[in-house]
Amino acid sequence: MGRAPCCDKNGLKRGPWTTEEDQKLVDYIQKNGYGNWRTLPKNAGLQRCGKSCRLRWTNYLRPDIKRGRFSFEEEEAIIQLHSILGNKWSAIAARLPGRTDNEIKNYWNTHIRKRLLRMGIDPVTHMPRLDLLDLSTILNSSLCKTPSGPLSNVEQFHPSDVTSFNPQNCQLNEWQTNQIVPSLPEHYVPLSDYGYDRVYGSDQSNVDHPPSETSTFQSNGNSNFSSFQSVLSNISSASSSPTRFDSNSIKLTSSSTEEEKESYCSNLLKFNIPDMLDVNQFML
DNA sequence: AAAATTTCCAACCGCGAGTCC
DNA sequence: GGGACTCGCGGTTGGAAATTT
């Protein structure tokens, strides 16, 4: 698997690892530990570069790696963490023991990202997709005249709505105002336990997606974005608590199918965004 | 049954940060 | 101070497997 070897300059092997190579690497690390990746392959008798050895170890051979499908709880944690951390896969992986950054990144790109796109959510900003919103203005004029039509919810936004969005006008349902603590896996480690400053720096100027309190709208100049983040967080929180938000009596478990998960999330969008956001505020 | 297409994910690439001399 | 080197991260690739036509 993976890309074909493209550089055999130093006579070093590339491409997929064999079981023999894996065994050599594991044996060496078990005896000597890992440290200097540059000299490790030579000492271990491997015709590989140190980088390749490090990747193989950290992404595949490490004994504490949990393999297999992601549970719904893990998936939900990834979405929440991504909404805060962005593409900081290593930071996300640090909060999901047993999962590697590469694994999470792959899972995001192959599963979660696509699902969010289908749901009309921009996987980068975690906000309603502007391209769909723009398209909706065309569709709305001819196809969707009634508030209960198939494109009556997020599709009724216009790109300019995002910049004119005023969080003070948002109305939250009871479950949204009460639902604060998201349901995360047992091994989930709160951000605060890791020290926010260490992740973001004191001024947070290097943060792609600034963190926001889960249930509190902010009123500063950057409130539009963070408010959407809050809304998203609430949506995600609701999806994590079927007993609290159970409009269709759907119980999602780790064995739920992709279709069940998507259907459940789609229902959240269809029936709840208009309730928590006063859509009239967005109409031109 | 075979070909075409899509999905999945291990592995590679390039860059930036940190460290050492 | 700055060049060389190492390490780690995020983005991307491409072959195998799965699915569809």
Side-chain angles (χ1 to χ4, degrees):
Chain A
M1 256 188 234
R3 78 172 48 178
C6 61
C7 175
D8 294 304
K9 287 177 199 165
N10 303 320
L12 297 178
K13 192 182 170 196
R14 287 165 170 261
W17 281 63
T18 64
T19 52
E20 289 77 18
E21 287 177 311
D22 283 346
Q23 196 57 53
K24 278 186 180 179
L25 183 57
V26 170
D27 286 346
Y28 180 84
I29 291 178
Q30 280 177 347
K31 281 182 188 171
N32 307 283
Y34 56 86
N36 190 333
W37 289 109
R38 198 174 73 90
T39 59
L40 185 149
K42 186 180 176 184
N43 295 335
L46 288 164
Q47 297 296 311
R48 294 273 182 175
C49 67
K51 200 171 185 175
S52 180
C53 291
R54 179 175 55 79
L55 243 62
R56 185 63 178 172
W57 173 257
T58 56
N59 287 337
Y60 201 84
L61 297 174
R62 254 170 44 203
D64 57 329
I65 286 181
K66 184 202 297 182
R67 308 207 69 82
R69 294 181 65 86
F70 281 76
S71 68
F72 179 71
E73 289 77 15
E74 286 177 310
E75 184 175 321
E76 184 184 341
I78 292 169
I79 294 173
Q80 291 227 1
L81 288 167
H82 186 273
S83 72
I84 298 169
L85 297 166
N87 291 0
K88 307 289 184 193
W89 304 117
S90 60
I92 294 172
R95 289 156 179 77
L96 288 172
R99 299 296 188 182
T100 69
D101 54 353
N102 204 40
E103 197 177 13
I104 292 171
K105 178 173 58 181
N106 281 333
Y107 190 72
W108 174 271
N109 287 328
T110 57
H111 293 87
I112 301 175
R113 185 175 170 277
K114 289 176 184 173
R115 186 179 306 143
L116 291 179
L117 285 171
R118 281 198 294 265
M119 290 162 60
I121 295 176
D122 186 332
V124 176
T125 63
H126 292 248
M127 289 159 60
R129 287 172 61 189
L130 296 184
D131 53 343
L132 289 183
L133 302 180
D134 202 20
L135 175 64
S136 75
T137 60
I138 301 170
L139 296 174
N140 277 339
S141 63
S142 59
L143 297 177
C144 183
K145 295 296 186 185
T146 64
S148 58
L151 298 171
S152 61
N153 298 318
V154 295
E155 292 86 351
Q156 285 190 344
F157 287 120
H158 182 276
S160 62
D161 295 333
V162 174
T163 55
S164 63
F165 174 58
N166 182 358
Q168 304 294 343
N169 294 328
C170 290
Q171 298 170 351
L172 298 179
N173 287 343
E174 183 184 355
W175 68 268
Q176 289 154 348
T177 53
N178 291 337
Q179 175 67 43
I180 296 173
V181 182
S183 168
L184 294 172
E186 288 178 10
H187 49 260
Y188 172 75
V189 181
L191 290 172
S192 55
D193 288 355
Y194 280 81
Y196 231 31
D197 289 349
R198 272 180 286 159
V199 177
Y200 294 104
S202 56
D203 63 357
Q204 299 181 2
S205 60
N206 59 337
V207 181
D208 293 336
H209 309 309
S212 61
E213 290 300 320
T214 307
S215 64
T216 306
F217 283 125
Q218 299 170 4
S219 57
N220 57 24
N222 199 26
S223 61
N224 291 359
F225 183 86
S226 60
S227 298
F228 264 117
Q229 294 280 320
S230 299
V231 168
L232 179 85
S233 181
N234 277 315
I235 293 171
S236 186
S237 299
S239 71
S240 71
S241 308
T243 54
R244 189 172 193 92
F245 178 78
D246 198 18
S247 61
N248 293 324
S249 300
I250 299 171
K251 302 277 192 209
L252 289 180
T253 67
S254 47
S255 60
S256 297
T257 66
E258 291 286 305
E259 291 71 24
E260 288 168 343
K261 292 175 184 175
E262 186 174 344
S263 172
Y264 184 77
C265 294
S266 296
N267 287 340
L268 285 175
L269 275 182
K270 283 179 183 174
F271 299 114
N272 287 280
I273 280 186
D275 290 336
M276 71 179 120
L277 297 179
D278 183 356
V279 179
N280 290 329
Q281 298 292 330
F282 297 89
M283 301 307 289
L284 294 174

